[in-house]
Amino acid sequence: MISQVGQIMLYVNNQEQALQFWTEKAGFHVIAEESLSPEMKWYEIAATPDAETSLVLQDKQVVAKMSPGVNLGTPSLMFFTPNIDQLYQDFKDKEITVGELVDLPFGRVFNFADDEDNYFAVMERK
């Protein structure tokens, strides 16, 4: 039986640039960093050092060569925050592209883009 989502593979064009975005701008932490071969690196990041779910930044071109059938599209991810106003302002101050802050019946939400123009969402639940 599946009990949780452990890792989410995020396929990126530039691993170092993506790592910089997620750690320096979005505030994620590096959980693991490995060089599996000269062309294959493993960057595991998470919102907190003890998070149960993490993102693994994978080089899109390397994965395409190794596993041609893998869908390399960006997953639609919804992150949660306890203080959306503070995070929204922090992202704007760090010049992260953010969408409008929207009130929905289940919480407040905004979208943001990484440096490769992949869009994600953040919600503060009611």
Side-chain angles (χ1 to χ4, degrees):
M1 176 183 284
I2 296 174
S3 62
Q4 72 182 55
V5 174
Q7 296 175 328
I8 298 167
M9 302 302 164
L10 185 57
Y11 304 112
V12 298
N13 295 312
N14 184 319
Q15 284 180 294
E16 285 74 23
Q17 182 181 7
L19 181 65
Q20 183 178 6
F21 171 84
W22 285 102
T23 57
E24 294 179 16
K25 290 185 175 181
F28 276 54
H29 301 267
V30 175
I31 304 303
E33 183 176 335
E34 301 288 336
S35 287
L36 304 173
S37 70
E39 66 277 345
M40 189 170 179
K41 296 179 185 171
W42 175 278
Y43 295 117
E44 182 180 1
I45 59 172
T48 63
D50 60 346
E52 293 184 16
T53 303
S54 61
L55 299 177
V56 177
L57 305 175
Q58 295 277 3
D59 184 297
K60 197 180 279 191
Q61 292 177 345
V62 171
V63 173
K65 286 180 191 174
M66 290 176 48
S67 302
V70 171
N71 180 344
L72 300 174
T74 303
S76 182
L77 301 177
M78 173 74 76
F79 298 100
F80 295 130
T81 182
N83 189 334
I84 201 160
D85 293 310
Q86 180 180 343
L87 183 63
Y88 187 75
Q89 188 59 51
D90 183 51
F91 277 19
K92 286 175 66 175
D93 292 345
K94 291 178 180 174
E95 299 181 357
I96 295 174
T97 300
V98 295
E100 182 180 340
L101 188 53
V102 179
D103 288 313
L104 298 173
F106 44 83
R108 298 172 68 209
V109 179
F110 73 89
N111 292 330
F112 70 94
D114 66 9
D115 291 338
E116 294 185 6
D117 291 327
N118 298 308
Y119 277 80
F120 305 95
V122 178
M123 178 173 41
E124 179 183 73
R125 293 190 212 184
K126 284 188 176 182

